[in-house]
């Protein structure tokens, strides 16, 4: 009111948003944590204690500094103990920019990442009952190009190495049961997909329901392969009936669809043009690392989303030829070492800068190839990757991380 008296035009201007106190806010005190200050205090306090102990007890400081100065190593973790993450998509973008990818002239086989596909489905436009969802998904995936369509899903285990990532994504493994086609789906589709139990039950229902003869018109002359757990099933139309049978060739015990999809690629006979519909950097890395197992085929990754105009093809065959066999073989271990869903990333190092170091050094490439294959890490491999880490931190002349820390 005072402002309006002083300036006549103030009445028509916007009013600054005011925070309103309620019973809900009265009992809470929120204060943003200064992460850098917390980290500095942790280092200072513990280093002071270590320095005092080393002087009093005559401990070699070089030996003491081999250990972190904080309860968790801040090079790999946040101050609360959670793992550091780095955007994996930066690696995919850097790699795909190395080649100019063209769309395949024709497609023989399309392989679809089931979990990725479920997230593409618009929840508001989906049928309200599971029977309608089954027909909707089958019609959509069978409209993909190629005589063979592979619908590949994860295998959900618990406990699993994926549990930490599920927790970070606010996911759960609660049981869910689909009793039939008339059962109504959850109102919030995207929220339901965070539950591994729901996705597992959905896959089981789809695999069972697609054998119904009412799906003849959707299958047509194409062949569908879909897995439920370790077992893969084949669907073909004979006469006016859908014939479902186990397909041992594609049955496997991999946990993740990323690895399962390339297992399918490896088992496909002849020389085929294969497109994999996914948007996961892990899939590209696994494909490059195992490229020698299916070099008869030409493989593209159909990545991106239509909704944000990023959908495009990545010619993995051309990319693998550009990178070379040595670098391709090193990619899976390199990806895990620099941070993936289950391993921490190095603070502020990212994916691209360390890769540029790897590209220039054949010895490092051989070491990461060995790291990805050896059950027990040899001293030679360990020393080489330690040197790679030192170079990643700008210490090219250093061999030992402990010397750099000191």
């Amino acid at each position: 009111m005072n402002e309006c008296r002083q300036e006549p035009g103030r009445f028509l201007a916007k009013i600054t948003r005011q925070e309103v106190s309620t019973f809900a806010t009265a009992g809470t005190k929120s204060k943003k944590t200064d992460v850098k200050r917390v980290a500095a205090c942790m280092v200072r306090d513990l280093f002071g204690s270590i320095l005092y102990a080393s002087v009093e007890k005559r401990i070699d400081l070089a030996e003491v500094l081999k250990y972190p100065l904080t309860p968790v190593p801040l090079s790999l973790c946040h101050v609360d103990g959670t793992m550091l993450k780095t955007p994996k998509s930066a690696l995919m973008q850097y790699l795909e920019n190395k080649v100019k990818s063209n769309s395949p002239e024709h497609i023989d086989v399309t392989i679809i990442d089931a979990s990725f596909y479920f997230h593409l489905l618009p929840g508001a436009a989906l049928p309200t009952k599971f029977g309608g969802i089954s027909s909707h998904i089958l019609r959509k995936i069978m409209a993909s190009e190629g005589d063979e369509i592979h619908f590949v899903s994860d295998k959900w285990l618990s406990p699993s190495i994926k549990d930490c990532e599920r927790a970070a994504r606010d996911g759960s493994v609660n049981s869910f049961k689909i009793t039939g086609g008339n059962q109504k789906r959850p109102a919030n589709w995207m929220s339901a997909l965070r539950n591994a139990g729901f996705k597992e039950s959905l896959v089981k229902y789809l695999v069972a329901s697609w054998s119904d003869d009412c799906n003849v018109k959707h299958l047509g002359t194409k062949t569908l392969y879909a897995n439920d757990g370790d077992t893969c099933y084949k669907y073909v139309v004979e006469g006016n009936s859908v014939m479902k049978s186990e397909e041992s060739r594609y049955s496997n015990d991999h946990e993740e669809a990323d690895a399962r999809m390339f297992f399918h690629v490896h088992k496909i006979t002849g020389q085929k043009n294969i497109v994999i519909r996914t948007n996961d950097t892990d899939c590209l890395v696994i494909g490059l690392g195992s490229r020698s197992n299916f070099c008869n085929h030409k493989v593209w990754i159909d990545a991106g989303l239509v909704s944000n105009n990023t959908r495009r093809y990545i010619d993995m065959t051309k990319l693998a030829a550009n990178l070379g066999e040595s670098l391709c073989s090193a990619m899976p271990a390199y990806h895990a070492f620099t941070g993936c869903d289950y391993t921490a990333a190095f603070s502020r190092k990212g994916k691209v800068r360390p890769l540029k170091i790897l590209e220039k050094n054949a010895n490092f490439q051989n070491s990461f190839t060995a790291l990805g294959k050896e059950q027990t890490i040899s001293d030679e491999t360990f020393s080489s990757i330690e040197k790679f880490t030192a170079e990643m931190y700008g210490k090219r002349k250093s061999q030992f991380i402990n010397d750099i820390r000191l």
Side-chain angles (χ1 to χ4, degrees), residues 35-55:
V35 176
K36 291 183 178 180
R37 180 180 176 83
V38 171
C41 291
M42 290 165 66
V43 173
R44 177 202 62 194
D45 295 344
L46 195 53
F47 181 70
S49 301
I50 289 173
L51 185 61
Y52 176 78
S54 64
V55 171

Side-chain angles (χ1 to χ4, degrees), residues 118-128 133 136 185-191 193:
F118 290 150
H119 283 83
L120 293 180
L121 298 174
L126 274 178
T128 57
I133 292 175
H136 177 82
R185 66 171 175 85
N188 191 328
W189 177 256
M190 298 307 292
S191 177
L193 289 177

Side-chain angles (χ1 to χ4, degrees), residues 22-276:
T22 65
F23 285 113
T25 60
T28 60
K29 293 183 179 180
S30 60
K31 185 179 180 181
K32 188 175 181 181
T33 303
D34 187 344
V35 176
K36 291 183 178 180
R37 180 180 176 83
V38 171
C41 291
M42 290 165 66
V43 173
R44 177 202 62 194
D45 295 344
L46 195 53
F47 181 70
S49 301
I50 289 173
L51 185 61
Y52 176 78
S54 64
V55 171
E56 281 291 305
K57 300 188 178 183
R58 297 183 180 181
I59 302 172
D60 184 2
L61 199 59
E63 186 67 26
V64 172
L65 290 179
K66 291 180 181 179
Y67 302 93
L69 295 177
T70 51
V72 292
L74 297 181
S75 58
L76 297 170
C77 299
H78 296 287
V79 292
D80 62 355
T82 56
M83 294 192 306
L84 286 171
K85 293 285 187 178
T86 186
K88 298 187 295 183
S89 57
L91 177 60
M92 176 182 277
Q93 184 178 358
Y94 176 77
L95 291 173
E96 67 175 292
N97 287 338
K98 288 184 170 293
V99 294
K100 183 178 180 180
S101 298
N102 298 316
S103 304
E105 294 180 359
H106 71 279
I107 299 173
D108 299 309
V109 180
T110 295
I111 301 176
I112 300 171
D113 182 345
S115 292
F116 170 66
Y117 188 81
F118 290 150
H119 283 83
L120 293 180
L121 298 174
L126 274 178
T128 57
K129 296 182 179 180
F130 282 107
I133 292 175
S134 173
S135 298
H136 177 82
I137 292 176
L138 183 61
R139 184 176 69 254
K140 289 285 189 181
I141 64 174
M142 295 312 294
S144 304
E145 294 186 60
D147 297 327
E148 290 184 15
I149 309 298
H150 297 239
F151 194 71
V152 183
S153 62
D154 296 317
K155 179 174 69 172
W156 291 274
L157 302 173
S158 186
S160 165
I161 194 174
K162 296 183 71 174
D163 287 343
C164 60
E165 186 63 18
R166 288 180 185 138
R169 295 175 182 174
D170 195 25
S172 56
V173 199
N174 301 324
S175 61
F176 189 95
K177 189 173 182 180
I178 301 175
T179 56
N182 289 324
Q183 181 180 342
K184 288 188 175 181
R185 66 171 175 85
N188 191 328
W189 177 256
M190 298 307 292
S191 177
L193 289 177
R194 295 193 187 101
N195 180 7
F198 171 76
K199 287 191 287 187
E200 182 178 21
S201 184
L202 178 61
V203 168
K204 286 182 179 295
Y205 172 73
L206 293 177
V207 168
S209 64
W210 287 342
S211 62
D212 195 289
D213 290 341
C214 68
N215 294 313
V216 168
K217 59 183 178 181
H218 300 319
L219 288 167
T221 59
K222 296 183 179 182
T223 303
L224 170 66
Y225 297 96
N227 73 285
D228 174 15
D230 293 343
T231 307
C232 184
Y233 297 95
K234 176 182 178 181
Y235 302 80
V236 293
V237 173
E238 293 183 7
N240 291 320
S241 301
V242 176
M243 304 302 295
K244 174 185 175 183
S245 59
E246 285 192 22
E247 183 60 53
S248 58
R249 180 170 42 141
Y250 297 124
S251 297
N252 62 85
D253 61 356
H254 290 289
E255 182 177 357
E256 292 211 52
D258 299 339
R260 285 178 182 267
M261 289 189 289
F262 284 99
F263 181 86
H264 281 233
V265 174
H266 175 57
K267 292 295 183 178
I268 293 173
T269 57
Q271 295 180 341
K272 302 290 178 63
N273 283 5
I274 302 171
V275 168
I276 300 175

Side-chain angles (χ1 to χ4, degrees), residues 192-380:
L193 289 177
R194 295 193 187 101
N195 180 7
F198 171 76
K199 287 191 287 187
E200 182 178 21
S201 184
L202 178 61
V203 168
K204 286 182 179 295
Y205 172 73
L206 293 177
V207 168
S209 64
W210 287 342
S211 62
D212 195 289
D213 290 341
C214 68
N215 294 313
V216 168
K217 59 183 178 181
H218 300 319
L219 288 167
T221 59
K222 296 183 179 182
T223 303
L224 170 66
Y225 297 96
N227 73 285
D228 174 15
D230 293 343
T231 307
C232 184
Y233 297 95
K234 176 182 178 181
Y235 302 80
V236 293
V237 173
E238 293 183 7
N240 291 320
S241 301
V242 176
M243 304 302 295
K244 174 185 175 183
S245 59
E246 285 192 22
E247 183 60 53
S248 58
R249 180 170 42 141
Y250 297 124
S251 297
N252 62 85
D253 61 356
H254 290 289
E255 182 177 357
E256 292 211 52
D258 299 339
R260 285 178 182 267
M261 289 189 289
F262 284 99
F263 181 86
H264 281 233
V265 174
H266 175 57
K267 292 295 183 178
I268 293 173
T269 57
Q271 295 180 341
K272 302 290 178 63
N273 283 5
I274 302 171
V275 168
I276 300 175
R277 179 69 176 119
T278 186
N279 202 37
D280 197 338
T281 303
D282 297 346
C283 189
L284 176 63
V285 170
I286 292 170
L288 292 173
S290 58
R291 181 72 187 95
S292 59
N293 293 325
F294 46 85
C295 53
N296 291 335
H297 304 305
K298 291 183 178 180
V299 182
W300 287 261
I301 289 181
D302 181 1
L305 306 172
V306 175
S307 59
N308 59 8
N309 200 31
T310 59
R311 191 167 181 179
R312 76 278 186 197
Y313 285 104
I314 302 173
D315 191 335
M316 207 180 72
T317 304
K318 186 186 289 187
L319 177 59
N322 179 282
L323 296 178
E325 185 178 346
S326 177
L327 185 56
C328 284
S329 299
M331 285 305 299
Y334 165 80
H335 182 45
F337 184 76
T338 52
C340 66
D341 287 347
Y342 322 119
T343 55
F346 290 93
S347 177
R348 295 177 296 178
K349 297 306 173 187
K351 287 284 187 182
V352 176
R353 184 174 175 272
L355 181 56
K356 291 179 179 179
I357 297 172
L358 183 66
E359 288 176 315
K360 298 176 183 178
N361 193 308
N363 290 330
F364 290 156
Q365 293 172 22
N366 294 334
S367 298
F368 275 106
T369 299
L371 180 65
K373 294 180 179 179
E374 295 175 353
Q375 292 292 328
T376 303
I377 303 174
S378 66
D379 292 340
E380 183 181 359

